[in-house]
Amino acid sequence: MKPLTIALAKGRLLDPSARLLASLGFDLNGAANSRQLIWDDVARGARFLIAKPSDVPIYVENGAADAGIVGQDVLREGDADVYEPLALNYGHCRLVVAGKAEHAAADWRFNAGLRVATKYPRAAQKFFSARGLAAEIIGLAGSVELAPMVGLADLIVDLVDTGQTLKANGLIELAEIFKSQAAFIVNRASFTLRADELRAMMEKIEERRDQ
Amino acid sequence: MNPSLEKQIPSGVADLFFNDAARKRAAENALAQTFARWGYSEIIPPMFEYYESLASAAGAELREEIYRFFDRDGRTLALRADFTIPIARIVGTKLYDRAMPLRFFYVGSVFRYEEPQAGIRREFTQAGIELIGAATPDADAEALALAVESLRALGLENFRFTLGSVAYLHALTRDLQLDDAARLALANAWRRKNISALNGLLDSLSLDPARRAALAQIPALAGDARVLDRAPAPNDDARAAIEHLRAVLARLAPMGIRDCLTIDLAENRGMAYYTGILFEAFVEGLGFSILSGGRYDNLVERFGPPLPAIGFAVGIERVLMAPRAARAQNRAGIAPDVIAQLPADFAAMQSARAAGQIVEVDVLNREADVLREFARVRGAREIFWRDGPKENL
């Protein structure tokens, strides 16, 4: 039998995800601090992949992993056809629109030619389109807060956790697009073909989560 | 080669030859033969027709994916995006007064403008059936049984079917007066088994507590037939949908195929044009479904008198990606049995061909030793030399 393969998003979710899996009895010692990309727990018939967050839904959708742990923000930005049966109650954050203080709450909504810098072009486009705003979305790969400071963009759409980064860069939150937390996702074929293993695992995760 | 083209062919299409083409043809033939033995006759709709007639019957999602173009009079045409809608049109306009049921099978390309994703192409091949004019549990059971038989005919073994009922989900929501956005959000939350999104949505709908509990329970209704005992049935339609599923399962039991079925009442594929049961098949080693189908009782009436119908389609390219099918069909060889030197003994070649051998003629006039080497490389087992002698390799 092939090991049950779980893809884990590296970055801020990896530590709490590894702790959750360790509490279920899986052996993931050192995964969070290693450069190794595959961890096998032969005794429990499990294999863990450590992947870039936006790649986790892709591994799961294609069946290269049976399940995965990734932020809901990543799921919303992608379009992967996966099941997302469990929200894990950690990794909480929010996707928000932010801008310099002079963009008071009302004024950005009357601006026809907004430029918006973001790592989430899809969610941003959807948010502005739904409000009839012809925003020009500028896709960046990181440090989005920089864009308004140097005149690349009027607004940013980005994840905030505590809001410290926004404040440190002189930005204020203007609107919330959605709330996010870590989610357990499952491949559609695996959900049926490996139903018993996955269901048992999800039940245990739910018990841990709700303690 | 045209060096000015950055890509030689557009995204989402493929050139198939040698083994790929042979395996595809073998799979199509195996399915066509299976369908024919169950009493289904072939139907060949046109590759393109009026956009209006295809789009009017398609769900919003499929409509977005239809390839469109104009004829010289400025009318909008469309490439077929599935077979079900063209067949519904043919039945609704031409065959509605024939003795029912009608049984049709099809094999061919369909075209959809989709983002490249897992197992998704823009031109892909579907082979499937439609059983029209019967709404009985027996008709549903026949479609499911033939779907199972089709996968077996392809050499697949470790597959599972999920079985759901759009009729049941409709029954749970019909009397709630939801707007389209809310209905779609609900269908999506069920489909993705996204319990946190589902709870948020149900909170915003201000439902009575019993109905709320029923709707919240849907994602958990997956498993064996006992799921049906747990399924909430707050009205007659919901009870009827559950009883219908029971009746279908009861008919499948003696056929020995109930064991490869998983009930999953959350499945709905965005509801689309389905009205009754719907099902999908998954095979070990592939992360996406290889067959899907369901009942659509309101589709034919868009083109003519109302007629109930059920059908399914196998995704040929997806099947060929399955590890098991790859092994089973690799025998569909392309190596010749015989290579014949010219001028050849035509009668000997024809009798070898009549006996089922593949006979290839050397039209390049190779020297004897070059031809012998060529025949070996091609995998031939025999050479017919020009003066009559035959040589085994």
Side-chain angles (χ1 to χ4, degrees), chain A residues 4 24 67 83 85-86 184 186 188 190-207, chain B residues 160 162 193 219-224 226-227 230 262-265:
Chain A
L4 191 73
L24 303 183
Y83 292 144
L86 288 180
F184 186 76
V186 180
R188 297 185 66 233
S190 302
F191 194 88
T192 299
L193 296 170
R194 310 195 70 164
D196 295 344
E197 295 158 89
L198 283 165
R199 207 160 295 158
M201 184 166 180
M202 288 192 289
E203 273 167 23
K204 280 200 273 178
I205 291 177
E206 261 186 303
E207 279 167 28
Chain B
R160 284 202 76 80
T162 59
K193 309 195 190 298
L221 297 175
D224 59 25
R226 282 171 298 179
V227 163
R230 288 191 279 129
T262 300
I263 308 287
D264 187 344
L265 292 179

Side-chain angles (χ1 to χ4, degrees), chain B residues 31-55:
Chain B
L31 289 173
Q33 195 178 51
T34 304
F35 298 152
R37 285 180 184 158
W38 284 55
Y40 290 75
S41 66
E42 183 160 19
I43 186 164
I44 308 178
M47 195 81 89
F48 62 86
E49 47 189 287
Y50 289 122
Y51 172 73
E52 217 179 292
S53 83
L54 294 186

Side-chain angles (χ1 to χ4, degrees), chain A residues 1-2 60-63 72 75 79-87 181 187-193 199, chain B residues 117-119 158-162 191-196 222-223 262 264 267 280 282-284 286-288:
Chain A
M1 188 74 161
K2 264 183 25 179
V60 174
E61 181 181 26
N62 286 275
Q72 290 168 336
L75 292 172
D79 190 25
D81 191 11
V82 296
Y83 292 144
E84 36 179 318
L86 288 180
Q181 57 180 301
N187 172 269
R188 297 185 66 233
S190 302
F191 194 88
T192 299
L193 296 170
R199 207 160 295 158
Chain B
Q117 268 184 52
N158 293 321
F159 52 80
R160 284 202 76 80
F161 278 71
T162 59
R191 212 179 86 75
R192 293 177 71 92
K193 309 195 190 298
N194 188 338
I195 289 162
S196 58
T262 300
D264 187 344
E267 259 317 325
E280 256 181 306
F282 298 95
V283 60
E284 236 165 60
L286 267 195
F288 31 78

Side-chain angles (χ1 to χ4, degrees), chain A residues 6-203:
Chain A
I6 318 280
L8 304 177
K10 66 181 172 195
R12 64 192 181 88
L13 291 184
L14 186 53
D15 268 336
S17 301
R19 276 201 300 279
L20 172 69
L21 292 165
S23 77
L24 303 183
F26 291 106
D27 180 10
L28 263 159
N29 279 330
N33 305 314
S34 164
R35 299 175 71 94
Q36 204 174 316
L37 300 177
I38 296 185
W39 286 83
D40 280 309
D41 182 341
V42 180
R44 282 163 206 82
R47 158 173 281 193
F48 300 95
L49 314 178
I50 316 290
K52 194 177 159 183
S54 58
D55 292 344
V56 168
I58 298 173
Y59 281 97
V60 174
E61 181 181 26
N62 286 275
D66 298 297
I69 297 181
V70 67
Q72 290 168 336
D73 56 310
V74 174
L75 292 172
R76 295 244 198 146
E77 184 61 19
D79 190 25
D81 191 11
V82 296
Y83 292 144
E84 36 179 318
L86 288 180
L88 297 174
N89 200 24
Y90 60 80
H92 289 277
C93 58
R94 301 177 305 126
L95 191 73
V96 304
V97 182
K100 289 202 245 178
E102 59 257 38
H103 284 286
D107 124 335
W108 61 274
R109 278 177 281 171
F110 298 114
N111 191 333
L114 287 166
R115 293 166 306 153
V116 182
T118 184
K119 287 187 279 187
Y120 296 82
R122 225 176 138 131
Q125 188 70 64
K126 204 169 147 197
F127 177 83
F128 288 101
S129 298
R131 284 153 186 79
L133 290 164
E136 180 193 331
I137 307 294
I138 302 171
L140 296 178
S143 300
V144 173
E145 307 80 15
L146 193 57
M149 295 163 71
V150 296
L152 175 62
D154 304 304
L155 302 175
I156 64 167
V157 165
D158 206 10
L159 278 192
V160 297
D161 181 2
T162 59
Q164 283 305 318
T165 316
L166 286 186
K167 202 178 274 178
N169 290 292
L171 300 171
I172 57 166
E173 180 181 328
L174 300 171
E176 179 182 290
I177 299 182
F178 58 72
K179 289 186 172 65
S180 171
Q181 57 180 301
F184 186 76
I185 63 174
V186 180
N187 172 269
R188 297 185 66 233
S190 302
F191 194 88
T192 299
L193 296 170
R194 310 195 70 164
D196 295 344
E197 295 158 89
L198 283 165
R199 207 160 295 158
M201 184 166 180
M202 288 192 289
E203 273 167 23

